Amino acid sequence: MKTIFKYLWIVLFLGYSTSCDQNFDDLNTNRVAATAIDEMFQINQAIISSAPSSFGILVYEVGAVQQVISPNSGVLTGANFNQDNRSSTQSNWQQYYRNVIKNTKDALTRIENNPARSNLTQMARIIQAYAFMVLTDTYGSIPYRQAGAGFSGQVFFPAYDTQEFIYTDIIKELEEASAALNASGRRETADVLFAGDVEKWRKFGYSLLLRAGMRIGKANPSLAQQTVAKAFAGGVILTNADNAAIRHDANYLNPAGNTLNATEAANFYLTEPFVNFLKNTNDPRLRSIAVRYVGATSGPTQTVERQSFDPALQIGMPMGNDNAGAVRAAADRGLASFYDFSQVDRRRMMKLTSPTFIVTASQNLLLLAEARQLGWINAGTVEGYYNAGVREHMLQMASYDANMAIATSAIDSYLAANPFNSATALRQINEQYWISSFMNGPEAFANFRRSGFPVLAPNPFPGREVLFINRLTYPNSEISVNEDNVNAAISAQGPDNLETRVWWHK
């Protein structure tokens, strides 16, 4: 009898276990999980992620060009002290490789041979070229040909390419992609940058080509001139209606705006050189950009009731001060505390939903003014491009907030009081480019190094590592996993510090 019960239990167990396995795969299949994604959504993610990292902008780029700076150390150590801080130098590296190039490279492997998605292919090439331009301008030699190939090519330790090679290829990519856009082809209406408007993408591509050509003007004048001529002939962005801008919303916040409206609201200030430059020329943009919380003694006292936009009351923080130095500087100027210095207005210009401008009409017009001055293009006049560039940036202020709008009469008065002078053309053009690129950290930092304008005094902080920051250092995260290739790049390019210049920086 015991034997019978023993075998009965075995039979029951086997039957139960078999029934548990029936339809197992069906039960464990998620019927609503995505099995594929339209490549347009990957490109959208790349576009949105093209807004630079907030710490890359705030800790280094806008400080390196002496526009916005913090007296605080720790995680904010950087251009405020002209010191290396690799927790922040990695910001743009991770932002662009992880979120832009990973998506563009993957999408391109799947659509580049699909004629029906030709326009999307060209859009991906253009936004990818922009990301690589930011990266190489920031660091110099970087992974380029093998970048983003971890999944598609199983390349886990990408080799580095020189900046000279990268720029030559970026120019080819932008020229080919811009020319290949087809107005009669499929319109990618889900595109978050231009809603699939092929002509606006074409102008964007040629605008980046113009920027690339001007960037290498001292390193390879012949290629630079050819590139600028091609970009101009192709047609670039010349009005604010066509600006390449990432439009942020409650789901995709402006990175720098998010930082300045949160933990770092009371930690960043407009610099004395920038505020004084605008004040000395009665520039109406100062009223739009700046706010001062008069009499503030702490972050919590920077209230709306204290805010003033009056240009006459704006006071920039002097360069080269740590926290104690900023306290002394404030006292020397009769301020209540260093919280009483002027800031970029986080409630207007740097709201959570403020746009991030990648390429603007103002920037292009000023580059064309310089190109005309150099004789690289033959149409138009230097003064005409210059005046139009200044005007478009002043009109652009309303794009941030209606309360920042500058009246046409104020623009006319400014241009009349500060006329273009052909004897100082390059200086004036690039001083205006400095203003026009305010809070576009990568571009302001790159053009300052390229042009040498405005002429700024070295950061006077006693413990500075360099007089001026020329590039950012490679992230520790990259060195730890790709050491051999990083070391090869350093051996060819120069020491991995803030002083080494990138290829085009002559």
Side-chain angles (χ1 to χ4, degrees):
M1 181 65 70
K2 290 182 179 180
T3 301
I4 293 173
F5 277 110
K6 177 181 177 181
Y7 284 109
L8 180 60
W9 277 111
I10 291 173
V11 171
L12 290 172
F13 175 78
L14 290 172
Y16 177 77
S17 63
T18 302
S19 66
C20 287
D21 285 342
Q22 289 179 355
N23 302 317
F24 183 82
D25 289 341
D26 290 340
L27 290 172
N28 286 277
T29 298
N30 186 342
R31 298 183 183 278
V32 296
T35 57
I37 184 171
D38 190 301
E39 292 80 6
M40 181 70 254
F41 298 117
Q42 283 186 279
I43 304 308
N44 277 343
Q45 182 61 54
I47 291 168
I48 293 167
S49 300
S50 294
S53 160
S54 63
F55 267 48
I57 294 174
L58 294 170
V59 175
Y60 274 103
E61 293 158 350
V62 294
V65 299
Q66 300 187 14
Q67 291 178 328
V68 178
I69 208 154
S70 171
N72 299 327
S73 56
V75 296
L76 301 184
T77 298
N80 49 338
F81 303 134
N82 273 21
Q83 294 177 344
D84 192 8
N85 174 6
R86 298 196 183 216
S87 65
S88 291
T89 60
Q90 70 180 353
S91 299
N92 279 344
W93 185 281
Q94 295 178 346
Q95 173 77 357
Y96 285 97
Y97 275 119
R98 293 178 180 180
N99 302 319
V100 182
I101 292 164
K102 182 178 73 173
N103 279 296
T104 56
K105 281 290 187 84
D106 183 59
L108 282 169
T109 60
R110 292 184 284 120
I111 62 171
E112 60 185 349
N113 295 318
N114 180 356
R117 306 303 294 273
S118 176
N119 280 338
L120 183 56
T121 295
Q122 313 318 323
M123 292 156 59
R125 293 171 74 185
I126 290 169
I127 203 68
Q128 181 172 271
Y130 170 72
F132 276 126
M133 194 182 303
V134 171
L135 285 166
T136 190
D137 287 347
T138 303
Y139 302 98
S141 297
I142 55 169
Y144 180 70
R145 281 175 289 187
Q146 294 184 348
F151 177 73
S152 60
Q154 303 295 292
V155 178
F156 304 122
F157 309 104
Y160 282 52
D161 290 296
T162 67
Q163 186 174 66
E164 182 175 9
F165 173 85
I166 294 166
Y167 255 91
T168 302
D169 201 65
I170 282 175
I171 287 169
K172 177 187 73 67
E173 282 291 291
L174 290 171
E175 185 180 348
E176 290 179 359
S178 301
L181 286 162
N182 182 3
S184 63
R186 171 173 168 169
R187 178 163 178 154
E188 302 287 349
T189 55
D191 157 37
V192 296
L193 190 59
F194 294 121
D197 188 320
V198 167
E199 290 309 313
K200 288 188 176 183
W201 269 98
R202 193 190 313 281
K203 291 178 183 178
F204 176 39
Y206 281 122
S207 297
L208 290 175
L209 189 65
L210 170 65
R211 180 178 288 182
M214 295 301 294
R215 192 85 88 229
I216 66 171
K218 295 175 183 177
N220 190 337
S222 176
L223 178 60
Q225 184 172 354
Q226 294 171 23
T227 301
V228 168
K230 289 176 181 177
F232 182 66
V236 300
I237 295 168
L238 295 175
T239 65
N240 286 329
D242 293 334
N243 283 346
I246 301 167
R247 293 161 180 81
H248 298 285
D249 59 22
N251 294 312
Y252 300 100
L253 301 177
N254 181 298
N258 189 30
T259 297
L260 291 175
N261 281 281
T263 56
E264 309 303 332
N267 289 333
F268 285 92
Y269 295 84
L270 292 173
T271 69
E272 188 173 64
F274 186 64
V275 170
N276 286 353
F277 189 93
L278 297 179
K279 287 180 75 171
N280 291 342
T281 56
N282 293 317
D283 195 314
R285 285 170 288 194
L286 183 58
R287 183 181 292 275
S288 298
I289 291 170
V291 64
R292 181 178 158 217
Y293 299 97
V294 180
T297 56
S298 65
T301 62
Q302 291 180 334
T303 60
V304 172
E305 291 73 26
R306 291 184 182 273
Q307 70 185 12
S308 173
F309 308 125
D310 185 351
L313 296 182
Q314 303 308 318
I315 302 174
M317 181 177 284
M319 296 293 299
N321 287 287
D322 58 12
N323 196 280
V327 170
R328 290 192 297 271
D332 290 344
R333 288 157 177 76
L335 303 183
S337 71
F338 75 69
Y339 297 97
D340 201 358
F341 281 113
S342 297
Q343 296 180 293
V344 55
D345 189 357
R346 60 183 179 270
R347 294 184 172 93
R348 292 183 303 161
M349 189 170 196
M350 296 311 298
K351 295 181 296 194
L352 296 174
T353 56
S354 289
T356 294
F357 289 97
I358 299 176
V359 178
T360 67
S362 173
Q363 291 170 328
N364 283 346
L365 287 161
L366 291 168
L367 290 179
L368 290 176
E370 184 172 348
R372 185 70 180 91
Q373 176 71 19
L374 296 172
W376 291 2
I377 59 173
N378 297 317
T381 66
V382 180
E383 183 176 5
Y385 290 126
Y386 172 85
N387 288 339
V390 175
R391 185 177 298 277
E392 285 299 301
H393 187 244
M394 290 190 178
L395 293 173
Q396 184 186 320
M397 291 292 99
S399 301
Y400 294 98
D401 190 285
N403 292 321
M404 291 172 59
I406 298 175
T408 301
S409 58
I411 301 174
D412 293 339
S413 296
Y414 174 83
L415 290 171
N418 301 276
F420 174 76
N421 182 350
S422 60
T424 56
L426 294 182
R427 175 179 64 78
Q428 280 187 276
I429 290 166
N430 285 288
E431 285 173 347
Q432 289 297 328
Y433 201 95
W434 179 56
I435 303 170
S436 180
S437 300
F438 180 68
M439 295 311 293
N440 181 341
E443 187 57 21
F445 181 39
N447 197 71
F448 169 65
R449 290 174 288 158
R450 176 195 74 86
S451 69
F453 295 109
V455 177
L456 301 172
N459 186 327
F461 183 71
R464 68 191 178 192
E465 296 178 13
V466 293
L467 293 178
F468 289 98
I469 297 172
N470 293 325
R471 65 178 284 274
L472 300 191
T473 53
Y474 295 124
N476 286 334
S477 57
E478 172 69 5
I479 295 171
S480 65
V481 299
N482 198 16
E483 184 177 10
D484 289 344
N485 286 316
V486 174
N487 286 338
I490 293 170
S491 178
Q493 178 172 263
D496 185 27
N497 57 33
L498 301 176
E499 189 169 22
T500 295
R501 295 189 175 200
V502 299
W503 165 71
W504 50 251
H505 185 184
K506 306 295 184 184

